């Protein structure tokens, strides 16, 4: 296939979630052909799995400008920009209408099972960049097909691959056998069936991020109700409790994000949750009543719990990209140029300067991981970051390099600054606050991390 024929092919976007549909909107705005492949039956399939959870970003922060422009002729109006949507609101009121506008260029029930270069596995160098991408797709009914593409934007996210309870990154011994009492999602306690599972029970919550804060707040609210009397949470932290444990609080420029941490703190302060610090889960055993006993790497055995909620983050599924030459950081599984900016080993504030095609490129030309997947195993991500990513990539694919390298976005600060974010530092090390949280209003892609952001 000639190079000119390759450029006539569509850009394949994997995933019809917020980042994937934003990518499609920007490609449409640039006049580029595209095809969105979504494994689920409708737009925002993963988002709908947490439909009951309210975002800590306002509507005005989760609608992509190019998407809004595309929706405007249909009479669509952004919901109250200062209100906070749930995951269900986001999917139903924004993602689905956007997919509808894009029409048959968004295909549902189409799971990508492999991506490669046509006629070239990852070993072959000859003429590699001149070959189109070949994308293998499995339909909902089991049929298989292949789609050829000039570029691939993987916005499939990380929702399908949650991290385990085991502190080593592997499942704890007995974790799989205890699956009937373990969930890796924030439970919907408004659902009567789910509510009965946790009401009046003792539940371990493993994790220290926004999802864990949400679960603790939900369980505390349940404990305050008549049918939830006796509900108790056991909060398992791999680190100790410090000033940054509960996030930025009132200093967070996303007030709802700060409020989540304060709600988790209130759950502990008011006795609805007991915190267990420095506990790294090694095994999960059953007692004589079938309840679960968490065993730490240090040999500690906690009192039995009825349920376990594991909220230790997510990781990217890279299995279907195995024939591509990706440049990924060995720690985070994020693009190597992006990884130092978001590495929680280095800082805990979670704010990164705006970035685009420069940080997201790989040795394999014209393949990009975007959205949550671009962050690999890093724990924090904002929708507006993903929208900037795909805007830059679409500009690059359209040949507008000046626009691709010009990123203008002010990201909200977390209010939490510090050094290494994964293990506690000895008290004799550098004082807290050595990191930074400020993000500049305007930055050119490729600017060094020291120029702003974390």
């Amino acid at each position: 296939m000639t190079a000119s024929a390759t450029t006539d092919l569509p850009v394949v976007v994997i995933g019809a979630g917020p980042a994937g549909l934003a990518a499609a909107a920007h490609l449409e705005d640039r006049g580029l052909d595209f095809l969105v492949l979504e494994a689920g039956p409708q737009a925002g399939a993963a988002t709908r799995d947490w439909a009951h959870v309210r975002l800590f970003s306002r509507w005005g922060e989760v609608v992509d400008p190019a998407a809004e422009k595309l929706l405007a002729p249909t009479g669509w109006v952004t919901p109250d920009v200062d209100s906070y949507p749930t995951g269900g609101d986001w999917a139903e009121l924004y993602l689905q209408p956007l997919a509808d506008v894009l029409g048959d260029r968004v295909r549902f029930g189409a799971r990508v099972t492999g991506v490669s270069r046509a006629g070239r596995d990852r070993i072959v160098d000859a003429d590699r960049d001149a070959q189109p991408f070949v994308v293998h797709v499995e339909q909902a009914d089991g049929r298989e097909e292949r789609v050829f593409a000039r570029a691939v934007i993987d916005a499939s996210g990380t929702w399908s691959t949650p991290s385990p309870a085991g502190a080593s990154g592997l499942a704890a011994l007995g974790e799989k056998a205890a699956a009937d009492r373990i969930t890796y999602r924030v439970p919907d306690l408004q659902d009567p069936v789910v509510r009965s599972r946790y009401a009046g029970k003792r539940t371990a919550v493993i994790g220290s991020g926004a999802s864990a804060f949400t679960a603790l707040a939900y369980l505390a609210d349940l404990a305050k109700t008549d049918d939830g009397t006796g509900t108790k949470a056991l909060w398992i932290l791999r680190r100790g409790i410090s000033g940054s444990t509960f996030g930025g609080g009132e200093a967070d420029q996303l007030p709802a994000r700060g409020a989540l941490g304060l709600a988790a703190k209130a759950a502990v302060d008011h006795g609805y949750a007991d915190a267990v610090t420095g506990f790294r889960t090694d095994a999960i055993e059953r007692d004589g009543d079938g309840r679960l006993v968490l065993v730490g790497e240090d040999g500690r055995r906690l009192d039995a719990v009825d349920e376990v909620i594991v909220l230790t983050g997510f990781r990217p599924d890279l299995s279907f990209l195995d024939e591509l030459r990706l440049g990924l950081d060995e720690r985070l599984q994020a693009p190597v140029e992006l990884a130092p900016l978001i590495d929680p080993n280095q800082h805990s504030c979670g704010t990164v300067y705006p970035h685009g095609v420069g940080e997201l490129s790989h040795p394999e030309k014209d393949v990009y991981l975007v959205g949550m997947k671009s962050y690999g195993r890093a724990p924090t991500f904002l929708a507006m970051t993903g929208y900037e990513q795909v805007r830059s990539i679409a500009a690059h694919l359209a040949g507008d390099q000046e626009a691709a390298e010009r990123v203008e976005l002010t990201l909200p600060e977390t209010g939490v600054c510090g050094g290494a974010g994964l293990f506690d530092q000895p008290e004799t090390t550098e004082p807290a606050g050595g990191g930074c949280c400020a993000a500049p209003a305007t930055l050119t892609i490729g600017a060094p991390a020291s120029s702003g952001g974390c």
Side-chain angles (χ1 to χ4, degrees):
M1 187 173 289
T2 65
S4 60
T6 298
T7 57
D8 290 337
L9 293 172
V11 177
V12 164
V13 179
I14 305 173
L21 291 177
H26 282 280
L27 292 168
E28 170 72 9
D29 190 53
R30 289 283 180 173
L32 300 177
D33 191 18
F34 62 88
L35 177 64
V36 180
L37 300 174
E38 166 58 49
Q42 51 195 330
T47 306
R48 294 171 192 271
D49 279 351
W50 48 272
H52 58 290
V53 177
R54 193 166 298 280
L55 280 71
F56 51 64
S57 295
R58 301 178 179 91
W59 266 114
E61 296 158 334
V62 296
V63 173
D64 175 78
E68 188 172 15
K69 176 182 174 183
L70 196 60
L71 284 163
T74 71
W76 186 89
V77 178
T78 306
D80 180 1
V81 294
D82 289 324
S83 64
Y84 295 88
T86 63
D89 295 335
W90 202 16
E92 283 294 335
L93 303 180
Y94 168 62
L95 298 178
Q96 192 61 55
L98 179 54
D100 292 342
V101 167
L102 295 169
D104 59 9
R105 287 176 295 176
V106 181
R107 290 173 47 188
F108 299 107
R111 181 178 298 279
V112 174
T113 58
V115 183
S116 186
R117 290 282 187 178
R120 308 287 189 274
D121 61 21
R122 67 183 297 159
I123 302 174
V124 180
D125 291 334
D127 264 347
R128 187 175 188 86
D129 287 352
Q131 306 308 310
F133 291 96
V134 57
V135 182
H136 282 215
V137 184
E138 182 179 293
Q139 307 296 331
D141 61 7
R143 289 182 297 113
E144 295 180 299
E145 66 170 312
R146 61 170 63 93
V147 175
F148 293 97
R150 61 168 290 195
V152 174
I153 299 175
D154 182 0
S156 60
T158 58
W159 181 251
S160 63
T161 47
S163 296
S168 62
L170 304 174
L173 296 180
E175 184 172 346
K176 295 177 182 177
D180 60 313
R181 290 179 178 259
I182 300 177
T183 183
Y184 298 85
R185 308 285 190 259
V186 175
D188 181 3
L189 298 183
Q190 298 306 310
D191 182 316
V193 175
V194 177
R195 188 180 184 87
S196 65
R197 178 174 173 175
Y198 297 95
K201 305 291 180 60
R202 178 177 162 88
T203 299
V205 177
I206 305 176
S208 59
S211 294
F213 294 165
T214 302
L216 291 169
Y218 282 5
L219 290 170
D221 287 342
L222 177 58
K224 300 171 190 176
T225 64
D226 291 339
D227 65 327
T229 301
T231 301
K232 186 77 172 184
L234 187 67
W235 186 20
I236 311 298
L237 297 107
R238 294 172 180 170
R239 302 176 61 194
I241 291 181
S242 66
S244 63
T245 297
F246 298 100
E250 295 177 357
D252 197 320
Q253 290 185 1
L254 289 177
R257 179 172 59 186
L260 275 179
L262 295 178
K265 185 176 186 300
V268 175
D269 290 346
H270 297 153
Y272 296 113
D274 293 330
V276 178
T277 59
F279 189 93
R280 298 184 173 87
T281 307
D282 183 61
I284 300 177
E285 301 175 356
R286 288 187 190 267
D287 67 8
D289 296 323
R291 302 173 80 208
L292 303 182
V293 175
L294 303 185
V295 183
E297 291 179 346
D298 57 4
R300 275 187 290 170
R301 300 173 65 86
L302 304 183
D303 290 341
V305 297
D306 300 288
E307 300 286 342
V308 177
I309 303 174
V310 180
L311 300 169
T312 53
F314 295 86
R315 53 187 61 181
D317 176 10
L318 302 168
S319 61
F320 61 89
L321 304 176
D322 196 46
E323 292 303 321
L324 298 178
R325 298 174 176 181
L326 301 180
L328 298 175
D329 178 76
E330 67 273 14
R331 295 174 297 278
L332 298 188
Q333 295 178 299
V336 291
E337 295 297 323
L338 175 61
L341 313 179
I342 60 176
D343 189 348
N345 285 293
Q346 304 302 320
H347 49 74
S348 59
C349 56
T351 301
V352 57
Y353 72 74
H355 56 277
V357 68
E359 289 85 353
L360 298 171
S361 294
H362 294 273
E364 192 79 70
K365 183 174 178 290
D366 288 339
V367 60
Y368 306 97
L369 311 185
V370 301
M372 190 67 217
K373 192 162 186 175
S374 71
Y375 270 39
R377 299 193 185 197
T380 58
F381 188 78
L382 294 175
M384 62 184 81
T385 300
Y387 297 160
E388 269 299 304
Q389 290 178 340
V390 298
R391 186 207 62 78
S392 173
I393 291 168
H396 170 73
L397 292 174
D400 187 350
Q401 201 60 26
E402 180 183 356
E405 294 178 357
R406 185 185 67 249
V407 177
E408 297 183 4
L409 174 67
T410 301
L411 291 171
E413 298 177 12
T414 64
V416 177
C417 295
L422 294 183
F423 275 75
D424 290 324
Q425 296 289 346
E427 294 181 2
T428 55
T429 59
E430 296 179 6
C436 60
C437 288
T442 304
L443 263 175
T444 300
I445 292 177
S450 60
S451 69
C454 282

